[in-house]
Amino acid sequence: MISGFTGLTEAFMLNKGFIVERMKSVYSSCGNETAELYAFIEGSSLWKFFPFEDHIFFYDLDVKIRKSADGMSNLHSISRSWVDARFKIPKWRRYKVPNIVTVGYSSGGFDREMISLVSKHPPYGVGGEKHSMFLVDISERIFYSAGIEKTSATAVTGGAVASVTISPGRVNPSNRAYHLINELVSCMQ
């Protein structure tokens, strides 16, 4: 079942225009790991105003040492550190912002602690990087994540208050990843 998911994911990502590499060695200051699949694409959203890089790391969590909240968090830290090392410019000065996505998959489900870990939007911090985590339960054909990020704005003019909430799918890197993983899991049906 796992090898079928890896093959399906590889074909799906290639079809979406990603460069895909199997058994990607990820060496960083946080440790070393091997992603079963690594996918990369660069582009821009809103014409050429927001250049981006999407780095998506797929890890088989049925490997015992990885299948815990700490294990998933460690995989994500390694992935983030590896991508960050590619940039010579400090995070706070970056115009092109990498989107780092760690996807853990398993055929045996996940415990509450793991689901809780991926269900929180990470703090944005200084900027220069967006990142998120997903869990894909292959046998149940479902995924867990922090969901869609919404952006709110409120204005007061002449005593009237106007408020709007949007969730940009292509501009927001986390939403772009959410829609991509949602579509991938839908292909498993």
Side-chain angles (χ1 to χ4, degrees):
M1 188 180 295
I2 293 287
S3 64
F5 177 76
T6 305
L8 171 81
T9 302
E10 181 177 28
F12 175 83
M13 299 305 279
L14 285 168
N15 188 48
K16 293 291 183 184
F18 283 79
I19 296 167
V20 178
E21 187 177 335
R22 279 190 183 225
M23 303 310 289
K24 173 72 171 176
S25 295
V26 184
Y27 300 103
S28 78
S29 59
C30 294
N32 305 323
E33 265 295 345
T34 301
E36 278 64 30
L37 208 61
Y38 165 72
F40 170 80
I41 194 169
E42 57 185 329
S44 57
S45 51
L46 282 182
W47 304 286
K48 297 195 185 272
F49 293 118
F50 297 115
F52 65 81
E53 291 185 358
D54 285 346
H55 300 263
I56 306 178
F57 299 83
F58 292 88
Y59 293 100
D60 178 358
L61 297 184
D62 285 337
V63 175
K64 198 158 189 78
I65 196 165
R66 294 177 172 178
K67 196 159 185 185
S68 68
D70 287 343
M72 181 68 177
S73 183
N74 185 51
L75 291 171
H76 191 54
S77 293
I78 290 169
S79 300
R80 289 179 63 201
S81 180
W82 182 83
V83 171
D84 190 48
R86 293 174 34 117
F87 287 83
K88 305 294 182 237
I89 300 170
K91 286 183 182 181
W92 65 272
R93 288 187 54 209
R94 292 180 188 162
Y95 180 63
K96 182 186 242 182
V97 176
N99 180 32
I100 304 151
V101 180
T102 303
V103 180
Y105 59 91
S106 172
S107 57
F110 306 101
D111 64 31
R112 285 185 192 170
E113 191 178 7
M114 290 183 77
I115 293 169
S116 177
L117 173 72
V118 303
S119 296
K120 298 176 193 137
H121 288 291
Y124 190 61
V126 199
E129 167 192 290
K130 283 290 280 180
H131 62 97
S132 55
M133 293 182 280
F134 293 81
L135 295 172
V136 177
D137 184 333
I138 297 169
S139 58
E140 296 295 322
R141 295 178 171 90
I142 58 173
F143 74 100
Y144 303 94
S145 74
I148 297 288
E149 284 186 357
K150 294 182 167 95
T151 304
S152 298
T154 303
V156 178
T157 305
V161 177
S163 184
V164 65
T165 300
I166 59 170
S167 53
R170 178 126 175 93
V171 177
N172 182 308
S174 298
N175 291 351
R176 194 169 51 244
Y178 176 89
H179 292 300
L180 184 75
I181 301 304
N182 184 38
E183 190 177 341
L184 169 64
V185 171
S186 296
C187 290
M188 294 169 56
Q189 307 304 339

